[in-house]
Amino acid sequence: KQEVTQIPAALSVPEGENLVLNCSFTDSAIYNLQWFRQDPGKGLTSLLLIQSSQREQTSGRLNASLDKSSGRSTLYIAASQPGDSATYLCASKGEGSGGSNYKLTFGKGTLLTVNP
Amino acid sequence: GAVVSQHPSRVICKSGTSVKIECRSLDFQATTMFWYRQFPKQSLMLMATSNEGSKATYEQGVEKDKFLINHASLTLSTLTVTSAHPEDSSFYICSAERSSGHVSYNEQFFGPGTRLTVL
């Protein structure tokens, strides 16, 4: 059974700082790994999706890396802004159970606060 | 593109009643949709996978008779919480999968969620 862990659970930084969020997973047999952003009481916004064959993906100030063999992914946020404050979730896509062919397994997220 | 809506966004009901939540993919067709449940400060837990034209597949521990799922078209899936009880109060989120030819490339797009409160 896949388990996804995110460290730290919460992070508070001053505006402008670069930061790294960590995600680890126990089963390396994944199709892809995805990073999401969730604002309070809202749904999920997809940030980056890394295929199992890829090492990293970049979008603007965001860069996500994937090391499948060690079961780790990181999300790097450059020059953080107060608008980046949210919960960041990572999810691995792997074989399903209970009859589903595949499923996303989520970590509990990292609550990021960027202070002006 | 790739917008998913949910309705209602918030519902309060009495114990024992049934509540229906709709999930729609607005600008793409989704053969597969997913229903998740999220408790405060917890992660999303997959409840079931909804396949258009066939029965949903439920995760272990999820009562299929309690959480009825219907995926009647390529753009609509519904979740009905039957005989709701206070412990069913939670944040329910759906997602719709946009096919890109291979499971590895298929991406899920999430709805805004439905906050259910059972009194």
Side-chain angles (χ1 to χ4, degrees):
Chain A
K1 178 185 174 184
Q2 178 74 285
E3 292 182 5
V4 178
T5 303
Q6 289 187 246
I7 295 174
L11 180 64
S12 182
V13 300
E15 182 176 3
E17 191 162 299
N18 302 326
L19 58 102
V20 175
L21 307 180
N22 297 290
C23 172
S24 62
F25 45 96
T26 55
D27 186 351
S28 62
I30 62 173
Y31 292 111
N32 59 48
L33 187 132
Q34 206 164 351
W35 283 91
F36 296 89
R37 168 186 173 139
Q38 185 177 31
D39 292 289
K42 304 293 185 183
L44 275 65
T45 300
S46 178
L47 298 174
L48 290 165
L49 185 154
I50 312 175
Q51 302 298 339
S52 61
S53 59
Q54 297 176 325
R55 298 284 292 183
E56 65 176 347
Q57 281 285 332
T58 298
S59 176
R61 294 182 294 110
L62 305 180
N63 176 276
S65 68
L66 173 64
D67 185 341
K68 213 172 73 159
S69 60
S70 67
R72 295 180 183 176
S73 177
T74 61
L75 179 66
Y76 174 83
I77 302 178
S80 58
Q81 303 170 357
D84 294 332
S85 298
T87 295
Y88 290 80
L89 297 163
C90 73
S92 68
K93 185 172 189 177
E95 293 293 330
S97 59
S100 59
N101 293 328
Y102 48 87
K103 62 184 284 187
L104 290 181
T105 302
F106 284 84
K108 290 186 177 181
T110 294
L111 176 60
L112 173 65
T113 303
V114 181
N115 301 300
Chain B
V3 179
V4 177
S5 69
Q6 269 183 254
H7 179 78
S9 59
R10 186 180 296 268
V11 57
I12 300 173
C13 69
K14 293 183 179 180
S15 185
T17 60
S18 294
V19 175
K20 179 185 285 189
I21 303 170
E22 292 186 350
C23 177
R24 294 181 185 272
S25 56
L26 299 184
D27 51 4
F28 66 99
Q29 294 185 327
T31 303
T32 306
M33 291 185 174
F34 302 84
W35 287 95
Y36 297 85
R37 183 172 181 176
Q38 185 178 34
F39 291 104
K41 299 188 185 301
Q42 296 296 316
S43 186
L44 278 73
M45 296 298 296
L46 179 65
M47 298 174 66
T49 302
S50 169
N51 299 293
E52 188 268 337
S54 63
K55 291 183 179 180
T57 54
Y58 291 80
E59 294 299 296
Q60 191 172 10
V62 178
E63 299 175 59
K64 61 180 67 176
D65 294 330
K66 173 80 173 172
F67 299 99
L68 299 179
I69 292 172
N70 183 277
H71 193 156
S73 77
L74 288 173
T75 58
L76 173 65
S77 176
T78 60
L79 169 68
T80 301
V81 183
T82 62
S83 187
H85 291 282
E87 57 265 31
D88 298 324
S89 299
S90 189
F91 192 56
Y92 292 87
I93 304 177
C94 74
S95 71
E97 185 171 72
R98 186 173 65 183
S99 177
S100 298
H102 188 277
V103 63
S104 183
Y105 295 92
N106 294 350
E107 190 170 354
Q108 290 185 31
F109 297 91
F110 286 77
T114 296
R115 173 73 59 191
L116 171 64
T117 303
V118 185
L119 302 176

